Amino acid sequence: LEVDLFEAVPAFQDFGEKISSDAEEWMNFYNHEAPETVEIPSSEMKGLGELEKMVILRALRPDRLTFALKKFIKDAMGDTFVTQPPYNMRATYTETS
């Protein structure tokens, strides 16, 4: 677990202890199908920004980081930056002919 690596950052001080004290809530967060869509369990960490939440997600559930990044970009910049338009074969043909 990479928790020890970022406890030196002030926002994540005593992170291991916070997980231990709310173990059941953190286990539910960890086992959630899409943890990037739910609140961080610890009441002491409710004030974290989206980047800090992604750091936690990276440490606990790296498999969900891509989804969290997509949500972050969509919320910050809009849907056009994360959604690919449908492929237009006719336009491609015209452009290459």
Side-chain angles (χ1 to χ4, degrees):
L1 202 60
E2 296 180 10
V3 172
D4 293 333
L5 296 177
F6 64 83
E7 277 194 335
V9 177
F12 303 116
Q13 278 185 325
D14 303 322
F15 185 67
E17 291 176 24
K18 291 173 186 172
I19 288 178
S20 296
S21 66
D22 294 326
E24 188 173 330
E25 289 182 45
W26 281 101
M27 185 61 76
N28 291 336
F29 175 80
Y30 180 83
N31 290 325
H32 195 279
E33 185 178 309
E36 70 279 1
T37 63
V38 297
E39 285 292 321
I40 297 293
S42 178
S43 59
E44 298 170 23
M45 304 191 100
K46 295 290 185 200
L48 292 179
E50 291 301 314
L51 286 174
E52 288 90 356
K53 290 177 185 177
M54 284 192 287
V55 170
I56 292 171
L57 197 63
R58 166 63 176 87
L60 300 177
R61 290 285 306 271
D63 61 309
R64 299 302 302 176
L65 187 60
T66 303
F67 299 98
L69 286 168
K70 184 176 179 180
K71 181 183 178 308
F72 177 76
I73 292 169
K74 182 179 179 181
D75 291 347
M77 301 175 73
D79 198 37
T80 57
F81 289 92
V82 293
T83 305
Q84 185 174 353
Y87 183 69
N88 185 334
M89 182 65 143
R90 179 166 292 176
T92 303
Y93 178 77
T94 303
E95 194 174 296
T96 59
S97 297

